[in-house]
Amino acid sequence: MSPGNLAAATEQFERALAENVRELGPDHPETLASRDTLARCYRVAGRFAEAIVVHEENLPARQRVLGPDHPDTLLSGNDLARSYRLAGRAAEAIALHEQTLAGQERVLGPDHPDTLISRGNLASAWQSAGRIDRAMPIYEQALAGQERTLGPDHPDTLTSRNNLASAYRSAGRLDDAVALHQRNLADRERVLGPGDLATISARNALASSLEAAGRLADALPLYERSLADRERILGPDNPDTLISRNNLAGACTQAGRSGEAIVLHERNLAASEHVLGSDHPETLTFAGNLAGALQAGGRLHDAIPLYERNLASRERVLGENHPETITGRNNLAAAYWRAGRVSDAITRYKQALSAQERLLGADHPNTLTTRNNLANALDSAGRLAEGIALHERTLADQERVLGPDHPGTLLSRLNLASACQMADRLTEAISLSERSVADLDRVLGANHPRSLTAQANLASIYATAGRLEESIALCEQTLMRRERVLGPGHPDTLASRQALVRVRAYRSQPAGVRGDGQDDDDLCHHPKSAGAQYVQHAWQESRSHILARPS
């Protein structure tokens, strides 16, 4: 549906509501149903604030006319809670989902299909609030109830299994996520057929978990098949097709295929502007992702203006305090940092961090990510004492909140090691880096891209400490693995090859010429591995939830 068609549909629903108010009265059940339909149309159009206004008008009207325990009233509560969540108002979403779920358990029973859906929606709201520890058991309860009540092959059960697998991915339980997504895809192919749209969504979700697990060679063909199927079935510009193209482009970026990624993102953004409109939240996400691909392709001169326009649009459309706006601020800061505009990066990171601490809380995963990124920027500015103190605080908080083996925690330890290297605290840097390599190898596998980054960074620290033979051996091992896993032309592979050449050349110099090895900061340098850790790359995850039944 083009922006014109979406606007026309919205105007039609607005006229229908006005007519029902005039002919039937504001509290007639059909009027209430029309008001809910209009609110949903606003939500589909990304007009979350307007959706909330209409839902907030309709919920008390249904409570008054139908009663607080009427199924339609409870569904109105669920709809309003969903709009709160999409508007970034997670605390209000959680409170209302809990209230709605309690009502449905009392009125409909704990195993009614609508009750089970509401339980999954509550889990989703907790996940949006960064509380994956609260979300996970609720997802598991919802799935167990659907398997028991509806059966393991019911579409709602399959969707809940998909959502639980996606929660595993968010929690860093990547092997569990891949295994559950694989089971879900097999079940959907068996029950619904390989070409069913729900099966295609399951295939896309599996690809996302494989990508997170560093298995790009397995993920890319699934993304490509999902895109081809959706283009054939839905057309090239359908919103779900846009999601598949976006996700394939993101995987191409991760694989070092920046040229392909940019072409896909540019096509996707143009289609989204035509179909959804330039101010739709998904269009804003696609624009940010194109900027990320341009940055990955070394085109910072193109990426930064796009990030800046995108942030201005998010502030205008979503509001300055919406989580996606704060993400845009973080990603612009990362681009400034990569461009050497460290002072600008620090300013933006501090703005993002202040907003996140106020709105999301100090322990939200996104808050912790921004704090890690700010520490990196402080390191680059030579403010190492501040940077290291912030790294240490962030690492301690991530170990407490996310757990010692969460990928984000492991990444923070790696960045603390790099900061210690920059401060010539080499004993600490080596100890932290060796632990990071061992933990990443154990948790993600030795061939995961992040594990390979940790190995490259440890080789750099060994070289700085004058342990050249160990550095060369690790550089050779990392290069071999990157050539096999990422390919010979991947930017990380090229960086490993250059690092190996430099450290070998350094070793060949006479000892009196080369010095003690500690003054050559770029001898085997590898950039820090954080940057913008939550470039938004998989809208399919959020779009795949069963969120409401039409009333």
Side-chain angles (χ1 to χ4, degrees):
M1 183 181 292
S2 68
N5 291 337
L6 189 57
T10 303
E11 290 174 4
Q12 180 181 347
F13 289 129
E14 289 171 336
R15 288 194 299 271
L17 174 58
E19 183 177 340
N20 282 339
V21 170
R22 185 175 62 253
E23 299 293 332
L24 302 175
D27 289 343
H28 190 279
E30 289 190 24
T31 304
L32 300 177
S34 290
R35 194 174 289 121
D36 251 11
T37 300
L38 175 60
R40 290 192 189 112
C41 188
Y42 284 148
R43 191 171 61 223
V44 169
R47 296 161 61 177
F48 302 138
E50 293 166 273
I52 287 171
V53 168
V54 177
H55 277 311
E56 287 181 333
E57 179 184 358
N58 212 43
L59 178 58
R62 275 187 161 167
Q63 289 172 332
R64 184 178 67 253
V65 173
L66 303 177
D69 290 340
H70 190 282
D72 286 352
T73 304
L74 297 172
L75 284 175
S76 286
N78 182 73
D79 279 340
L80 174 56
R82 181 189 178 189
S83 292
Y84 281 150
R85 182 177 67 83
L86 293 173
R89 295 163 60 174
E92 292 165 276
I94 289 168
L96 189 52
H97 273 311
E98 288 179 332
Q99 177 184 327
T100 301
L101 176 59
Q104 288 176 315
E105 288 178 331
R106 184 179 66 254
V107 174
L108 303 175
D111 288 338
H112 188 280
D114 287 349
T115 305
L116 297 172
I117 287 172
S118 285
R119 190 169 292 124
N121 290 344
L122 174 59
S124 178
W126 277 114
Q127 185 174 354
S128 294
R131 292 296 306 277
I132 195 69
D133 59 316
R134 294 292 300 269
M136 196 82 70
I138 302 174
Y139 276 131
E140 291 171 339
Q141 291 168 9
L143 176 58
Q146 287 168 323
E147 288 178 332
R148 182 178 64 253
T149 304
L150 304 174
D153 292 340
H154 189 278
D156 286 1
T157 305
L158 297 173
T159 296
S160 284
R161 192 176 296 129
N162 174 81
N163 293 345
L164 176 59
S166 295
Y168 285 155
R169 181 173 69 240
S170 296
R173 295 170 54 180
L174 300 178
D175 289 341
D176 292 334
V178 169
L180 196 54
H181 275 310
Q182 287 173 329
R183 175 187 170 190
N184 207 46
L185 175 58
D187 287 344
R188 282 186 170 173
E189 287 178 332
R190 173 176 52 80
V191 174
L192 303 174
D196 186 89
L197 292 175
T199 304
I200 296 169
S201 293
R203 190 173 295 120
N204 184 83
L206 171 58
S208 293
S209 286
L210 289 168
E211 180 185 355
R215 296 170 54 182
L216 283 169
D218 296 321
L220 281 164
L222 294 177
Y223 279 135
E224 290 167 342
R225 180 176 175 186
S226 295
L227 175 58
D229 286 345
R230 280 181 168 162
E231 287 181 330
R232 174 174 50 82
I233 296 169
L234 300 173
D237 294 341
N238 181 275
D240 286 343
T241 306
L242 300 181
I243 290 168
S244 283
R245 191 176 297 118
N246 173 77
N247 290 350
L248 173 59
C252 286
T253 299
Q254 294 299 314
R257 293 158 51 179
S258 297
E260 295 171 70
I262 290 168
V263 170
L264 287 166
H265 277 308
E266 287 176 334
R267 178 183 175 190
N268 218 46
L269 178 58
S272 187
E273 288 174 336
H274 172 69
V275 173
L276 300 175
S278 58
D279 285 345
H280 193 282
E282 290 192 25
T283 304
L284 298 177
T285 292
F286 296 149
N289 289 350
L290 171 58
L294 290 167
Q295 178 181 337
R299 294 170 55 181
L300 279 167
H301 60 287
D302 294 320
I304 288 175
L306 182 54
Y307 273 133
E308 291 171 334
R309 292 194 301 272
N310 186 245
L311 176 58
S313 295
R314 291 186 192 206
E315 290 175 335
R316 175 175 51 80
V317 174
L318 301 175
E320 290 191 355
N321 293 327
H322 191 282
E324 304 299 340
T325 302
I326 298 170
T327 294
R329 198 170 290 127
N330 179 85
N331 291 345
L332 174 59
Y336 285 155
W337 178 48
R338 293 294 185 191
R341 296 170 56 178
V342 179
S343 178
D344 291 332
I346 289 172
T347 297
R348 289 292 186 179
Y349 277 137
K350 286 184 174 180
Q351 291 172 350
L353 180 59
S354 175
Q356 286 170 321
E357 289 179 333
R358 184 178 71 254
L359 299 169
L360 303 178
D363 288 344
H364 191 285
N366 286 2
T367 306
L368 297 173
T369 293
T370 300
R371 193 183 302 143
N372 174 77
N373 292 348
L374 173 58
N376 285 341
L378 291 169
D379 296 340
S380 297
R383 296 162 61 177
L384 288 168
E386 294 174 78
I388 288 172
L390 196 55
H391 279 304
E392 290 173 335
R393 176 188 167 196
T394 302
L395 177 58
D397 287 344
Q398 287 180 314
E399 288 178 329
R400 173 176 52 83
V401 174
L402 303 175
D405 287 344
H406 189 280
T409 306
L410 301 178
L411 190 61
S412 283
R413 187 174 296 114
L414 191 63
N415 287 340
L416 174 57
S418 293
C420 288
Q421 178 187 9
M422 294 172 69
D424 287 330
R425 292 163 53 173
L426 296 180
T427 300
E428 295 168 80
I430 289 170
S431 176
L432 287 163
S433 191
E434 288 177 337
R435 179 178 174 186
S436 295
V437 168
D439 287 346
L440 284 162
D441 286 357
R442 174 175 52 82
V443 174
L444 299 179
N447 291 325
H448 191 283
R450 286 191 180 179
S451 301
L452 296 173
T453 295
Q455 294 160 30
N457 288 359
L458 177 56
S460 170
I461 297 172
Y462 281 157
T464 303
R467 294 165 60 172
L468 299 182
E469 297 305 324
E470 292 168 275
S471 177
I472 289 171
L474 192 51
C475 280
E476 290 172 339
Q477 175 182 291
T478 304
L479 174 59
M480 179 185 66
R481 287 175 172 170
R482 280 180 163 168
E483 286 178 332
R484 184 176 69 249
V485 174
L486 302 176
H490 192 283
D492 289 352
T493 306
L494 299 176
S496 280
R497 190 172 293 117
Q498 292 165 0
L500 179 58
V501 169
R502 285 197 298 271
V503 73
R504 281 176 172 168
Y506 188 73
R507 182 186 60 177
S508 68
Q509 295 175 4
V513 174
R514 78 165 82 118
D516 62 6
Q518 295 187 25
D519 295 330
D520 278 328
D521 291 334
D522 63 347
L523 174 64
C524 189
H525 177 68
H526 293 271
K528 292 201 174 187
S529 54
Q533 290 179 40
Y534 45 89
V535 172
Q536 309 135 65
H537 157 60
W539 270 82
Q540 185 65 48
E541 178 183 349
S542 60
R543 287 279 298 271
S544 65
H545 292 282
I546 298 177
L547 287 162
R549 295 190 188 282
S551 51

